Amino acid sequence: KSYEKKIRQTLFVTLSCLILLLFIAAIFVVFNNRLKKEVDARTLALNQANQELSRQKDEINAADQFKEEILNSVQNGIITLDAAGAVSFINDRAADILEVSSPELLGQAAFSSPLFYWLNKDKLTAVLGGKGPFLGIKAQIRGAEETKFIVYQIGVLRKNERDLTGAVISFKDVSKEHRLEEELFRQDQNRVMRLQVSEFIHEIKTPMTSIKTLADLLPAKVHNPDFQIQFVEIINSEMERIAKMIGALENYAKPGRQEMGYRELAPVV
């Protein structure tokens, strides 16, 4: 009987342990299934978030590409600078006018780079300090084959009303207009010169007539004191008159000196 009792106790303990192990295994399976579902749910959410971020990134890249295509399609040169004055963007037209490549200019400091010799640094400093814009600034660009004339403006770039992010320089090549103005000026000057010469020829006839008349009378009145005095006075007067007309013609014929400089249109407007 004692032996049977020990067997029953051993079987009971064994069965109890087995039941406990089964219970623990069941709990573990349930917990593992729940954990797996939660991990799967979080993985799905993370994948969806990554897909959304990727989509947004693609949209931003597409928008940036679209903006760049628009900026490259305009006829004006456009350069953007960050808050420190370094080039952050240059469109194709600006690179063409300045005769540089975009990679060559990107990252260059506008305040120290020799490629920005034409830029008014004082006005750029003012713009990066929140002032401006400054419009209608004229400058000359030394090209490989010819000098180019540009008109540019410097404006403020802002992220919002308070946060300044840099500056934008927009400029236009006005070389053709400048040379056309010079040609029109020369044509106008030549036209006026012809009128001046014609008027000079007409005006010089009067003193020449007076001098010729005196010359004709000189043989007959060479010994007349009154005639001699009148002769000298008239000759001096007419010669002075001729000299003034020649001087005026010479002054007009001199080429005018033209200089490029910085001008503000705002006070004029």
Side-chain angles (χ1 to χ4, degrees):
K1 292 182 179 179
S2 176
Y3 177 75
E4 292 178 355
K5 185 177 180 182
K6 288 181 179 182
I7 292 175
R8 289 192 190 96
Q9 290 177 349
T10 301
L11 290 174
F12 177 77
V13 171
T14 302
L15 184 60
S16 298
C17 290
L18 182 60
I19 293 173
L20 180 61
L21 289 174
L22 290 174
F23 179 74
I24 293 174
I27 294 177
F28 177 78
V29 170
V30 172
F31 178 78
N32 186 61
N33 289 336
R34 289 182 179 178
L35 182 61
K36 184 176 181 301
K37 290 181 179 179
E38 185 176 351
V39 170
D40 291 341
R42 292 190 178 185
T43 301
L44 178 62
L46 184 60
N47 289 334
Q48 291 176 345
N50 288 333
Q51 291 175 358
E52 180 65 18
L53 288 175
S54 179
R55 184 187 64 80
Q56 292 179 0
K57 183 179 179 181
D58 292 340
E59 289 180 353
I60 292 173
N61 291 335
D64 290 341
Q65 182 67 26
F66 181 67
K67 291 177 183 178
E68 186 171 338
E69 290 178 358
I70 291 177
L71 293 174
N72 283 329
S73 66
V74 299
Q75 292 300 311
N76 286 3
I78 298 176
I79 298 175
T80 60
L81 309 174
D82 60 23
V87 177
S88 56
F89 173 79
I90 172 173
N91 72 342
D92 293 343
R93 182 56 178 156
D96 179 61
I97 294 174
L98 299 179
E99 298 184 9
V100 296
S101 63
S102 297
E104 182 182 0
L105 201 61
L106 285 174
Q108 292 281 346
F111 288 104
S112 59
S113 173
L115 297 175
F116 284 95
Y117 61 88
W118 50 271
L119 183 62
N120 188 317
K121 306 302 190 301
D122 292 335
K123 287 182 172 53
L124 177 58
T125 300
V127 168
L128 292 177
K131 299 179 181 179
F134 297 97
L135 311 175
I137 310 172
K138 295 181 179 180
Q140 296 182 21
I141 303 296
R142 297 188 296 269
E145 298 180 355
E146 61 180 3
T147 298
K148 299 178 182 179
F149 298 87
I150 65 170
V151 176
Y152 68 95
Q153 63 185 36
I154 311 175
V156 179
L157 280 180
R158 295 183 183 275
K159 186 176 182 179
N160 49 51
E161 293 182 357
R162 294 181 301 176
D163 297 332
L164 185 147
T165 59
V168 56
I169 305 170
S170 174
F171 52 93
K172 180 181 181 182
D173 185 355
V174 294
S175 300
K176 291 183 179 179
E177 293 86 342
H178 180 84
R179 292 184 175 86
L180 179 60
E181 288 178 0
E182 285 186 336
E183 180 62 27
L184 291 176
F185 175 78
R186 282 193 294 268
Q187 292 178 3
D188 183 67
Q189 190 178 37
N190 291 336
R191 181 181 62 82
V192 176
M193 177 64 72
R194 289 193 294 270
L195 292 175
Q196 288 282 349
V197 171
S198 177
E199 184 179 351
F200 173 78
I201 293 173
H202 175 75
E203 290 293 330
I204 204 173
K205 287 181 179 180
T206 301
M208 293 300 294
T209 301
S210 299
I211 293 173
K212 184 178 184 305
T213 301
L214 289 174
D216 292 340
L217 294 174
L218 184 60
K221 298 186 177 183
V222 67
H223 300 295
N224 187 328
D226 293 335
F227 176 77
Q228 292 177 0
I229 295 174
Q230 185 180 17
F231 179 85
V232 173
E233 290 178 350
I234 293 176
I235 290 295
N236 288 336
S237 176
E238 296 302 334
M239 291 301 295
E240 183 178 353
R241 183 178 177 185
I242 292 174
K244 287 182 179 179
M245 287 189 291
I246 293 175
L249 194 62
E250 287 179 342
N251 289 335
Y252 188 83
K254 292 179 181 178
R257 183 179 180 183
Q258 300 181 9
E259 296 181 353
M260 295 292 292
Y262 300 104
R263 297 291 184 270
E264 294 297 335
L265 296 183
V268 179
V269 177

